[in-house]
Amino acid sequence: MKKILITGGAGFIGSNLCRYLLAKGHKVLCLDNFFSSKKSSISGLLDDPHFEFISHDIIEPISLSGVDCIYHLACPASPPNYQKDPIYTFRTSVWGTYNILQVARENQARVLLASTSEIYGDPFQHPQTETYWGNVNPIGPRSCYDEGKRASETLFMAHYNMHSLDIKIVRIFNTYGPYMGRDDGRVVSNFINQALNNQDITIYGDGTQTRSFQYIDDLVNGLVKMMNSEDDFVGPVNLGNPGEYTVAQLAEFILKLLPESKSKVVYKDLPINDPKKRKPDISLAKAKLDWKPVIELERGLTQTIDYFRITQ
């Protein structure tokens, strides 16, 4: 049994990771302040003797003991959440990341950063490899998140180079599945929620922009593989599904899976700096982690729709 700290543990990815690690017999410390998550995501875990919830904002320092490894996921990740207080979002990525790195140093713990495909910005390289430096607007409405995560990676690498801290960095591409927030602003949750409620499905732009959609179980498997990977493999490494779909195709998929829906597709202006293409090159993850996603989009969407129906 390991004692594992998950920051942002009540969030979409974090709550799924908590469940996975508890099922594997580990003790899980879930740290969150519910800025962009909900207690209901972890309510079923609170009675587990191996689960402990810590209410804390990582912008403030914290001291913990006996921690073996840390999954650092804490940061508002959907556009409505990270844009409602961009200063707080950036502070979370910089001050919060620094504070968690100090916890890792105090405990001599391995620490994994959940970075993001957003560090590639609106990319000129397609698909995106880990060697691509990205095309990010540092003063745009998305920069608090994009540049915050880039700064997080910088802090991780500085601690690796200066203090030989045991780090891992992953860059996560669009992920969906159970425990997504209905109002989190992600395209999958938006479309499913709109279709279930017979509302117009809103596509921003002309629908030709592409995304690669990864089911949550595949991502959790990749996170754990990265945490347990060879000591000398630091990353960053892309974790995403290389299947590429237009946003219009995603809407069609969801309406096909919900034939009873009376929703119509409507188009609105594309937000500033919204990426036109997004697709991961996962050659490195295949080679170093023996990892690739296995859940196809239709199966994953069906399971996500079932979750949304139950929790509606």
Side-chain angles (χ1 to χ4, degrees):
M1 177 187 289
K2 289 183 179 179
K3 187 175 182 180
I4 301 174
L5 172 64
I6 303 176
T7 71
F12 164 46
I13 295 172
S15 60
N16 280 279
L17 182 59
C18 284
R19 287 174 176 79
Y20 179 91
L21 294 172
L22 286 168
K24 295 295 183 181
H26 298 295
K27 179 175 176 59
V28 172
L29 306 181
C30 170
L31 187 151
D32 212 301
N33 69 342
F34 301 126
F35 178 82
S36 59
S37 58
K38 296 178 181 178
K39 192 172 183 178
S40 58
S41 295
I42 57 168
S43 58
L45 305 178
L46 295 174
D47 292 331
D48 190 315
H50 293 150
F51 180 82
E52 179 182 347
F53 175 70
I54 302 169
S55 179
H56 184 76
D57 188 335
I58 61 168
I59 284 178
E60 302 297 332
I62 186 171
S63 182
L64 297 168
S65 62
V67 175
D68 295 303
C69 56
I70 303 169
Y71 290 87
H72 179 38
L73 311 180
C75 185
S78 70
N81 284 327
Y82 67 65
Q83 290 177 2
K84 69 183 178 184
D85 190 340
I87 295 173
Y88 177 80
T89 297
F90 194 76
R91 289 170 69 199
T92 300
S93 287
V94 179
W95 296 2
T97 294
Y98 176 81
N99 288 333
I100 294 306
L101 286 165
Q102 303 323 299
V103 175
R105 288 184 67 190
E106 290 167 5
N107 288 269
Q108 290 297 297
R110 174 171 288 184
V111 56
L112 179 149
L113 171 65
S115 187
T116 173
S117 63
E118 297 298 336
I119 67 103
Y120 298 123
D122 190 7
F124 293 120
Q125 181 189 98
H126 191 74
Q128 293 80 56
T129 64
E130 292 85 354
T131 56
Y132 179 54
W133 290 355
N135 174 42
V136 174
N137 177 1
I139 59 172
R142 304 170 67 95
S143 61
C144 60
Y145 183 66
D146 302 356
E147 295 287 24
K149 285 295 189 179
R150 289 161 73 96
S152 293
E153 291 194 14
T154 299
L155 281 167
F156 261 65
M157 287 305 301
H159 280 73
Y160 172 74
N161 290 322
M162 290 184 65
H163 304 298
S164 299
L165 194 63
D166 191 357
I167 70 162
K168 303 286 181 180
I169 300 173
V170 300
R171 293 174 178 166
I172 298 172
F173 283 68
N174 289 60
T175 306
Y176 69 99
Y179 297 96
M180 292 185 80
R182 290 182 172 278
D183 56 353
D184 70 0
R186 291 181 173 93
V187 66
V188 172
S189 54
N190 279 355
F191 286 3
I192 292 175
N193 202 37
Q194 289 168 341
L196 284 172
N197 291 286
N198 298 310
Q199 299 169 343
D200 288 341
I201 291 182
T202 307
I203 292 178
Y204 294 95
D206 61 8
T208 61
Q209 64 269 35
T210 67
R211 295 292 185 271
S212 299
F213 301 104
Q214 168 179 231
Y215 191 66
I216 184 63
D217 290 0
D218 284 329
L219 173 60
V220 167
N221 180 258
L223 292 173
V224 173
K225 278 180 173 283
M226 184 60 174
M227 180 63 84
N228 297 332
S229 63
E230 297 174 4
D231 292 348
D232 63 349
F233 182 54
V234 171
V237 61
N238 291 334
L239 294 180
N241 193 318
E244 185 179 15
Y245 299 89
T246 67
V247 173
Q249 284 177 317
L250 176 67
E252 291 172 7
F253 255 116
I254 290 171
L255 288 174
K256 175 186 172 184
L257 296 172
L258 289 167
E260 72 278 13
S261 176
K262 297 179 175 59
S263 297
K264 307 292 184 187
V265 175
V266 298
Y267 294 84
K268 295 188 177 182
D269 292 339
L270 188 70
I272 296 173
N273 300 141
D274 196 62
K276 310 299 188 304
K277 289 182 178 292
R278 187 59 60 77
K279 175 182 177 178
D281 183 312
I282 61 168
S283 301
L284 189 60
K286 288 179 178 178
K288 300 296 291 188
L289 305 179
D290 190 27
W291 176 88
K292 65 179 181 179
V294 297
I295 298 175
E296 296 179 352
L297 183 60
E298 185 166 345
R299 177 184 163 197
L301 287 175
T302 299
Q303 293 175 187
T304 307
I305 288 169
D306 289 344
Y307 168 77
F308 271 58
R309 283 188 197 276
I310 293 168
T311 58
Q312 194 169 28

